[in-house]
Each structure stands twice: as C-alpha cells, then as structure tokens.
Amino acid sequence: MHSSGLMMNRPLLISGLVQHADENHGDSEIVSRLPNGSTHRYTYHEAHHRSRQLARALLALGANGDDRIGTLAWNTHRHFEIYYAVSGMGAICHTINPRLFPEQITYIANHADDRFVFFDLTFAKLVEALIPACPGVKGWIVLCNRDEMPDSATPNLYCYEELIAAQSADYKWPEFDENTASSLCYTSGTTGNPKGVLYSHRSTLLHALAACLPDSLNVSACDCILPVVPMFHANAWALPYISALTGAKLVLPGPYLDGASLYTLIEEESVTFAAGVPTIWLSLLQHLQAEKLRLSTLQRLMVGGAAAPLSMMQTFDSYGVALIHAWGMTEMSPLGTINAKKRKHLTLTDDEKNHLRIKQGRTPYGVQMKIVDANGQELPHDGKVFGDLLVRGPWIVSHYFRSENVSPLIDGWFPTGDVATIDADGYMQITDRSKDVIKSGGEWISSIDLENIAVAHPAVAEAAVIGAPHPKWDERPLLVVVRKPGQKVSRDELIAFYLGKVAKWWIPDDVVFVDELPHTATGKLSKLTLRQRLREYRFPDVSGNLI
Ligand code: ADP
C-alpha cells in the first residue's frame, strides 16, 4: 500500500481557466471578426461575465447535467463563451463541423442526442434542413443580435444576445469530478460513420498545460494568438483554452479565412502566433507574394493536420516567420508531437536542420508512442524503419462515444492509422496514412514525400500523389498537379524533377494536370475523393497505349 499525498484535491475544471484569465488578465483582449463583417472587441473580464450569463440562460431554458449542446459556428467571441458556459456548467459542448455533408451532420447531432444547438447565421439554410431531421433538439439558438434574427416560423428559435441580456452574471461555477465529460468532437469519418471523441475536464486541462510549454506551442501572456484552425476542428488545437490559461490576446477570424483577410487581421491586431492546416498558409503565402507584402509582427506559425512541405517552411523563413510542424488527431485532443529543437541541434548545418524540421516532431510529456510491424512487434527507433504508429496518454481516447463496449485500443495503445518512423532522438516522421501509402511490388512508397518534392517546383501550386492500379506492380504513384496561375510545366519536366531526389522506383509513372484538388471538411487533401475521380485512370505504356 502507498500512502496518499497530503495536498489539496482541487479538481482540474475548464471553468477555472476563464476564471483565472478574468482574475489575472482581465483587461487582455479578445478580438473577433463576425460573420456580419463587423469587428467585435472586448476583454477576458467581459468574456467571463457573459459566459456566466449564458450558463444561466441555458439553465433557464432547461439544459442540465450531461446534456450535449451543439455548435455550428465560426471562431468568434460567442463560440468562446459557449465553450466555457457549457463545459463550465457541467454539460457537454459538442462542436459540429458545418462543412460536413448535411446527412453526416444529421447523423452526428442525432447520435450525440444534442438538446440545444447554437448556430451562426451563415448556417441558417443548413439548420432549416436539420430541424425536421433532429427532433431531439429542443432549441436552436442564433448567434446574432435581435435585429439580425432570421424570418422564420420555427417556434423554438432563440436569439443569443437576447438570451444573454435577460440574465445576470450572478452564477458560481459548480465544482465536480474532473473526470466529468466536457466536450465532444466527431472525427471526419472518411471511412464509415463519424465517431465521437468525448473529452473530460481533466484531459482538456492536462492537454492545455502541455500544449503551452516552450517546446510545444510556446504561448505566453506577451503573445497575440490567432487560431485559424476552426473551433469545430479538434478544439481549435486547444487555443481557446491556452489563451485563457496564459492570458494571451486572442484574435478570432470568423468566417474570413482567405489569405487577404488573414493578412489584414494579422497586421491590424499585431498577431505573433497563428495555427492552421497547410492549405491556409499556402493561401496566405500566395497573397503575400502576389501583393509583395511583409509581415511585421508574426513570429511563429503552427502547421498540422497534414504534412507541411519544406519549401513552404523555407518561403516563410524569407518572411522572418518560423513554420513549426506538429502532428495530432481529434482522438488525441489533438496534440501528439511538435517539432522543437534540442540543445544539441543548435549547431546543425542548414541541410541538417532542414532534414530535422520536416519531421512531425517529438512528444511532449504525457504522450508516449511506438511503431510496430504487421504482427504487432515493436520496431526500432532508427529514423528509417517505418511501421504502424501507436500512442497512449491521459488526453488520448479510450473508447468512442456510445461505443463503450468496443475498445479501439491494442494492449492499451491507440492505433493512429498512420505509418511513421521514429528516430533515436524521439522525432517522429509520418510516412503516410496507412490507407494512402502506395504499395508497389510489395514495397511501400510515401505519397507525402513525393508531394513535398512536387510542390517545391516553382510552377506547382498544389500536388497530390495516389497509388493507381498497375498490372505488374499492383500500384504505381500517379502525380496530380495544380499549376500556379500563368505557369507552364510539362509532364516530362515534372518527372525529371524527381531525378536524384528519391530512389528511381519511387518516381511517379505519370502526371495528371487538374484545375483544383478536392479537400475534406477540415481543409486537407481528400485522397478518397481524388481516387474516386481518377478511378478510370490507366497508365500508358511506352508507346502510349493504356495498360
Ligand atoms: P480528420 O483528418 O479525419 O478530419 P484529424 O484532424 O483527427 O481528423 O486527422 C488526424 C490525421 O491527420 C492524422 O492521423 C494524420 O494522418 C494527419 N495529420 C495530422 N497532422 C499531420 C502532419 N503534421 N503531417 C502529416 N499528417 C498529419
């Protein structure tokens, strides 16, 4: 038997974050671009005040206990208030990705059994279709002022600002067990139905603490942070929690995620740190280049959700901005690894640094990872051998919501579905998602490596590599390219571009040019859709006949 420590057993609760921000950084700002085009500006003190008014409003509407309360909303101060009010009162904040197909959204809202749903006016049409399909929802709350309310015959439609205005902030956050569920987010469900990941207050707090560390997102009270990653995608990578925990100024972009809008916001609000998927940073770069602009305050960008190419990191270098690679999953809250240097790396040559920084990084305390072969045998950490990546830790899923009788774990480890290498220093590099890896003659080819090379070509805007069927090799790599506007590059030039950069048998067999590539609801390349679009594709033989 071990004896208990004699320390206070104060629960780790999400309400404690906004309370801390109010008490210690009460005048620090939260700035939002709202869907109606206006800019909203207030402080953590006011955010805390309104979160308590909102909690009272929800209680007055009859919400309670472990009710799921959905959101279909952009990153704004109102969504921030919902995060804190709903989890803070002990209910579950269920962020829904509005970019999913309506049938998926209906499935998700019904599977979660959402009691109330908050939505931005942008999604009014979508909600009209959802109302008859989701009879369990007792109230739909529009994130707007009274005079912006849509003309609708729906009886249980409420105005957000009116609900808040009717309440005082005389509300004390309840205290309960830190293992209580706090929020819910469904994976995109590229295969089968979306699956719900149910976070707890404890997992959220531990994750947020680890995510702030200098070798993680490195956020402090001196920062001004811009989560471009949506609050409906894996908790906006914890930034709404990290901002309150640190007292950093928070800038929320609303629906304006194009390069020009982001540039203006970054400059006007003096943003120092921003986070998002590679396609977002690609559009910011295109805007900077087209308009010959500079960035005056931005220091760091976090990129994750999909692999970031070295060429993108180098272009941001020339703007004085560090593009930091990270990897994670909805199932991991989402942070798994971040590419932070170690002391011994400070003296590396540029080539060595580049080799290191394209990796997805190493784990913060709290995440453990390993790679295994097809028989589950652990593989060496030599940076060369790749295998299935497994993880475990206190902010990693143990069961999916409402599938508690089936465990996704293998001997206590969560299989990520990614294939990766891990080097002797603990840096992990994703080879591919296991379903995207190209299987050529029994060997594996990394589509990510081939895409990274293609986008380094000056005429290429975006590229994807998929395995297309081949009678002899089973699959061979096919490069699909979007050219930059006004640029010309031929199939043969692109294939020649690979010479000397990868093993000969890795070089794509053919190139298809397209006007645009399909993306998923979270802004990643959708290889599934691309494979469907190109399912009739056949490689030509040397004389041009299809094989
Ligand atoms: P979805 O893509 O299904 O919307 P997630 O955001 O949870 O949901 O996706 C997690 C997956 O995204 C990972 O398993 C991995 O395949 C991919 N991913 C995330 N970050 C990176 C990265 N930096 N490089 C390569 N792949 C990444």
Side-chain angles (χ1 to χ4, degrees):
M1 265 297 277
H2 303 287
S3 47
S4 295
L6 295 174
M7 307 307 281
M8 289 189 200
N9 195 6
R10 302 280 303 142
L12 300 171
L13 298 179
I14 287 175
S15 54
L17 291 175
V18 71
Q19 179 142 6
H20 168 82
D22 181 1
E23 286 168 4
N24 299 281
H25 307 278
D27 61 353
S28 190
E29 269 187 309
I30 301 178
V31 180
S32 313
R33 290 288 312 280
L34 301 185
N36 68 10
S38 67
T39 300
H40 178 273
R41 211 171 268 283
Y42 71 169
T43 62
Y44 282 110
H45 173 69
E46 288 163 280
H48 186 210
H49 189 94
R50 279 173 47 101
S51 302
R52 281 172 294 156
Q53 288 176 293
L54 178 58
R56 281 181 58 118
L58 283 166
L59 289 169
L61 284 176
N64 59 47
D66 65 351
D67 272 354
R68 264 76 58 204
I69 300 185
T71 66
L72 283 162
W74 299 111
N75 293 10
T76 69
H77 70 292
R78 291 177 178 136
H79 208 171
F80 181 91
E81 290 159 5
I82 298 167
Y83 260 49
Y84 283 100
V86 173
S87 302
M89 66 186 266
I92 297 167
C93 178
H94 171 205
T95 52
I96 309 174
N97 184 343
R99 296 187 187 131
L100 293 172
F101 295 120
E103 307 80 67
Q104 282 177 310
I105 298 180
T106 307
Y107 170 86
I108 288 174
N110 285 330
H111 186 265
D113 198 10
D114 286 334
R115 205 46 75 223
F116 294 91
V117 175
F118 292 94
F119 66 98
D120 268 315
L121 270 174
T122 325
F123 308 115
K125 264 226 128 49
L126 170 68
V127 166
E128 246 171 61
L130 290 180
I131 289 174
C134 302
V137 179
K138 300 285 170 262
W140 299 84
I141 303 162
V142 199
L143 298 168
C144 68
N145 299 318
R146 176 79 248 172
D147 59 2
E148 294 173 307
M149 280 296 280
D151 225 3
S152 165
T154 311
N156 47 358
L157 201 65
Y158 301 93
C159 165
Y160 184 82
E161 291 301 332
E162 211 168 52
L163 287 181
I164 290 204
Q167 299 293 335
S168 80
D170 183 15
Y171 179 73
K172 202 168 163 313
W173 297 115
E175 285 197 4
F176 41 76
D177 183 346
E178 64 188 26
N179 290 299
T180 305
S182 60
S183 43
L184 176 66
C185 184
Y186 281 72
T187 62
S188 304
T190 35
T191 50
N193 276 325
K195 296 192 282 277
V197 180
L198 187 64
Y199 309 100
S200 70
H201 286 258
R202 173 186 154 84
S203 72
T204 304
L205 268 281
L206 292 176
H207 175 262
L209 282 165
C212 293
L213 290 171
D215 278 354
S216 298
L217 275 56
N218 189 17
V219 175
S220 84
C222 296
D223 275 307
C224 171
I225 64 181
L226 170 69
V228 183
V229 50
M231 290 169 75
F232 53 73
H233 187 205
N235 309 309
W237 302 350
L239 289 168
Y241 304 120
I242 292 171
S243 55
L245 196 156
T246 57
K249 175 178 170 183
L250 180 63
V251 178
L252 299 166
Y256 308 101
L257 308 180
D258 57 286
S261 305
L262 291 178
Y263 177 77
T264 311
L265 201 56
I266 290 169
E267 287 299 306
E268 284 182 1
E269 300 302 330
S270 303
V271 170
T272 57
F273 172 77
V277 293
T279 42
I280 291 287
W281 303 135
L282 189 68
S283 67
L284 177 63
L285 268 186
Q286 282 167 352
H287 179 70
L288 294 172
Q289 287 167 337
E291 304 295 321
K292 303 205 171 10
L293 299 165
R294 305 301 304 170
L295 289 157
S296 52
T297 58
L298 192 65
Q299 298 161 358
R300 306 176 322 278
L301 286 177
M302 171 126 313
V303 65
L310 180 62
S311 53
M312 188 187 277
M313 297 177 184
Q314 289 173 321
T315 316
F316 272 112
D317 284 348
S318 69
Y319 287 91
V321 174
L323 188 73
I324 304 160
H325 214 179
W327 163 86
M329 307 179 72
T330 305
E331 284 92 336
M332 300 179 74
S333 297
L335 198 62
T337 61
I338 310 100
N339 195 317
K341 286 197 264 308
K342 297 184 180 181
R343 187 169 170 75
K344 67 177 174 186
H345 296 138
L346 298 176
T347 51
L348 292 183
T349 64
D350 282 353
D351 266 3
E352 289 166 335
K353 275 188 194 148
N354 288 337
H355 183 70
L356 180 71
R357 70 177 174 158
I358 55 167
K359 299 190 179 203
Q360 276 74 5
R362 55 191 170 85
T363 54
Y365 165 77
V367 178
Q368 288 178 283
M369 62 183 177
K370 64 176 181 181
I371 44 174
V372 300
D373 66 15
N375 303 316
Q377 289 304 312
E378 215 172 319
L379 293 168
H381 293 189
D382 62 3
K384 294 193 186 77
V385 178
F386 47 79
D388 293 320
L389 179 64
L390 276 71
V391 290
R392 69 175 181 192
W395 54 81
I396 297 171
V397 73
S398 71
H399 293 84
Y400 288 104
F401 183 53
R402 299 204 150 151
S403 301
E404 284 84 340
N405 47 352
V406 224
S407 171
L409 308 188
I410 303 171
D411 292 336
W413 292 75
F414 177 73
T416 62
D418 288 326
V419 174
T421 61
I422 303 176
D423 69 20
D425 288 324
Y427 289 77
M428 183 274 287
Q429 183 165 16
I430 301 272
T431 307
D432 240 322
R433 276 196 171 186
S434 53
K435 50 188 182 296
D436 294 338
V437 92
I438 298 156
K439 294 165 189 95
S440 172
E443 298 284 346
W444 285 8
I445 299 175
S446 157
S447 68
I448 293 181
D449 283 2
L450 297 182
E451 287 158 6
N452 284 348
I453 294 172
V455 295
H457 190 285
V460 173
E462 206 180 359
V465 177
I466 55 169
H470 190 283
K472 178 159 174 211
W473 302 110
D474 200 14
E475 275 183 0
R476 287 293 302 156
L478 172 67
L479 172 63
V480 189
V481 162
V482 181
R483 292 190 191 95
K484 283 191 185 153
Q487 297 274 353
K488 287 204 189 89
V489 62
S490 69
R491 165 196 184 277
D492 293 348
E493 281 166 332
L494 280 175
I495 289 183
F497 191 63
Y498 280 93
L499 285 173
K501 297 191 175 83
V502 283
K504 256 204 152 123
W505 62 276
W506 274 46
I507 298 179
D509 280 17
D510 199 9
V511 183
V512 171
F513 293 98
V514 293
D515 291 338
E516 57 166 13
L517 285 166
H519 292 95
T520 66
T522 48
K524 307 181 191 188
L525 273 178
S526 175
K527 298 261 177 97
L528 190 76
T529 316
L530 188 63
R531 275 193 287 266
Q532 277 163 358
R533 278 191 199 167
L534 290 169
R535 65 178 174 273
E536 305 293 330
Y537 176 86
R538 293 293 170 270
F539 286 109
D541 65 12
V542 275
S543 22
N545 299 319
L546 300 186
I547 53 176

